[in-house]
């Protein structure tokens, strides 16, 4: 299938382009970007021209930040194309519902991707926890925003979600592996005095599950969680790519870095969805972020510059 990529920035170049190039399902036929290009692939400055001039492009994959994404997704769906959304799937829940309604009405596929759910240990963790009663859990998601998002000022602008941009990856794993849903009870958000979004957040959910997100972590980075259930302790480390149960590393096919394999798995899933005429939109990670923004206590902290 011919596919177009929109927003040729960090994640498009790092993950989407190689995942498409190495897949038998896909051919990258066009890109839409104001400044980015992919060698040998026609580039358009606006999506309307790309859609009009490339009727054979069946799928549009959107790698833009969340705020500008809705207009592009809507344009692609209205032009009869299937759509794949980077995480988080939108700037608001309501706009993703609108895209779902549009895709359903037109009989097209909409896939709201959560790349961290494709990490190696996640399916194993889900299978292990199935049917068990969770008694406690904790997430530690601490990274250095300057290292992973250089120059990306949009993360601290309204809709950029701040530390929830990476934190939602942890929540996408949590909501995937837990055998029963939890909901947020309490949150504290640390917002730099010159930013619109939090740089750190502490969350408390039902079932004694807590989370600690921080974007000021220098040195070793942490993308880890542990969950206790039925006298067992399950640990997911390195963004879900390593799984330890009761102290024993049980990761299947353990090798490589954490993002390796996640994007190829997303594109393989999208190919199956399109072929079967299905959609996959689970907003539960974003509901927790939205609840934290609604319920959270704001604490103003020192100004932060990228
Ligand atoms: P980015 O490099 O800052 O932005 C991606 C591209 O979006 C830019 O190159 C830009 O392309 C386009 N863009 C930015 N603002 C725009 C606007 N207002 N209107 C139209 N186009 C705009 O961001 P990124 O790191 O790739 O992240 C994009 C999405 O991927 C985010 O939702 C993020 O959460 C997700 N993601 C990122 C990572 C990561 O490690 N960075 C990992 C997984 C997922 P042009 O200027 O060329 O048009």
């Amino acid at each position: 299938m011919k596919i177009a990529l929109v927003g040729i920035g960090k994640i498009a170049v790092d993950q989407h382009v190689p995942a498409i190039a190495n897949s038998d399902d896909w051919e990258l036929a066009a890109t839409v970007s104001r400044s980015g290009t992919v060698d040998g692939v026609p580039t358009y400055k606006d999506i309307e021209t790309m859609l009009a001039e490339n009727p054979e492009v069946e799928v549009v994959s959107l790698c833009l930040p969340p705020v500008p994404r809705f207009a592009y997704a809507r344009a692609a769906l209205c032009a009869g194309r299937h759509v794949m959304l980077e995480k988080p799937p939108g700037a608001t829940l309501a706009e993703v519902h609108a895209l779902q309604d549009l895709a359903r009405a037109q009989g097209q596929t909409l896939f709201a991707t959560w790349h961290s759910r494709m990490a190696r240990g996640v399916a194993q963790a889900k299978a292990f926890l199935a049917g068990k009663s969770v008694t406690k859990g904790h997430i530690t998601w601490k990274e250095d925003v300057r290292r992973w998002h250089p120059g990306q000022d949009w993360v601290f602008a309204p809709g950029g979600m701040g530390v929830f941009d990476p934190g939602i990856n942890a929540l996408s794993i949590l909501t995937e592996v837990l055998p029963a849903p939890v909901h947020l009870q309490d949150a504290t958000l640390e917002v730099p005095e010159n930013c619109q979004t939090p740089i750190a957040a502490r969350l408390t959910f039902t079932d004694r599950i807590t989370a600690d997100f921080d974007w000021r972590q220098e040195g070793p980075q942490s993308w880890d969680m542990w969950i206790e259930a039925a006298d067992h302790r399950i640990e997911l480390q390195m963004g879900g790519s390593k799984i330890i149960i009761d102290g024993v590393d049980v990761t299947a096919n353990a090798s490589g870095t954490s993002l390796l394999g996640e994007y190829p798995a997303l594109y393989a899933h999208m190919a199956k969805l399109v072929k079967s005429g299905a959609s996959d939109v689970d907003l539960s990670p974003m509901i927790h972020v939205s609840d934290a923004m609604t319920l959270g206590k704001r604490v103003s902290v020192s100004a932060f510059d990228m």
Side-chain angles (χ1 to χ4, degrees):
M1 282 175 282
K2 292 195 191 242
I3 188 166
L5 269 185
V6 180
I8 306 302
K10 186 171 189 312
I11 198 61
V13 171
D14 288 357
Q15 297 292 337
H16 291 256
V17 171
I20 292 168
N22 292 321
S23 166
D24 291 336
D25 291 315
W26 302 104
E27 178 191 337
L28 183 57
T31 62
V32 179
S33 203
R34 300 165 308 179
S35 55
T37 57
V38 175
D39 279 352
V41 180
T43 301
Y44 296 81
K45 294 280 177 214
D46 67 277
I47 189 162
E48 287 75 17
T49 310
M50 186 281 290
L51 292 167
E53 293 187 7
N54 294 274
E56 74 289 359
V57 165
E58 288 179 65
V59 174
V60 177
S61 179
L62 300 177
C63 312
L64 306 155
V67 169
R69 201 177 302 135
F70 175 77
Y72 288 82
R74 192 171 187 286
L77 287 170
C78 287
R81 318 304 165 88
H82 309 288
V83 168
M84 196 166 156
L85 304 168
E86 248 300 350
K87 52 62 54 173
T92 68
L93 291 164
E95 67 181 31
V96 188
H97 287 304
L99 294 177
Q100 269 184 295
D101 290 346
L102 186 55
R104 200 177 295 119
Q106 306 212 148
Q108 288 152 223
T109 293
L110 181 67
F111 179 21
T113 66
W114 298 109
H115 68 85
S116 291
R117 286 185 173 176
M118 300 299 187
R120 260 189 312 269
V122 173
Q124 274 175 276
K126 182 176 177 145
F128 186 81
L129 289 171
K132 294 189 175 71
S133 184
V134 168
T135 51
K136 209 173 177 186
H138 184 68
I139 300 169
T140 307
W141 224 254
K142 295 186 176 183
E143 61 174 57
D144 180 354
V145 63
R146 291 191 179 104
R147 179 166 155 195
W148 301 105
H149 297 272
Q152 296 182 353
D153 293 333
W154 59 265
V155 296
F156 287 120
M161 294 194 192
V163 76
F164 289 109
D165 180 79
I168 204 168
N169 296 332
L171 298 175
S172 75
I173 295 176
L174 185 76
T175 48
E176 177 71 5
V177 302
L178 285 184
V182 292
H183 63 264
L184 190 81
Q185 292 180 307
D186 183 69
T188 302
L189 313 177
E190 293 187 19
V191 184
E193 58 191 28
N194 60 340
C195 298
Q196 295 288 324
T197 59
I199 197 162
R202 286 185 301 284
L203 313 176
T204 303
F205 295 91
T206 49
D207 288 351
R208 297 206 300 157
I209 291 176
T210 51
D212 198 354
F213 300 159
D214 204 317
W215 235 352
R216 298 163 298 195
Q217 176 84 1
E218 292 174 1
Q221 310 282 287
S222 305
W223 299 287
D224 305 322
M225 69 180 71
W226 57 262
I227 295 167
E228 288 177 356
D231 293 331
H232 294 284
R233 181 183 169 97
I234 182 163
E235 293 168 65
L236 282 167
Q237 299 179 351
M238 296 165 62
S241 63
K242 185 172 175 183
I243 176 169
I244 295 167
I245 299 179
D246 298 331
V248 179
D249 186 342
V250 295
T251 316
N253 307 316
S255 68
T257 57
S258 73
L259 277 181
L260 203 77
E262 294 180 13
Y263 281 80
L266 290 179
Y267 278 96
H269 186 55
M270 182 64 180
K272 278 193 198 142
L273 289 172
V274 171
K275 284 173 194 159
S276 62
S279 283
D280 180 350
V281 180
D282 173 19
L283 291 176
S284 55
M286 196 165 153
I287 288 170
H288 291 318
V289 174
S290 193
D291 283 358
M293 296 293 199
T294 306
L295 188 65
K297 190 188 317 142
R298 260 89 175 156
V299 178
S300 183
V301 296
S302 312
F304 186 86
D305 295 307
M306 294 280 263

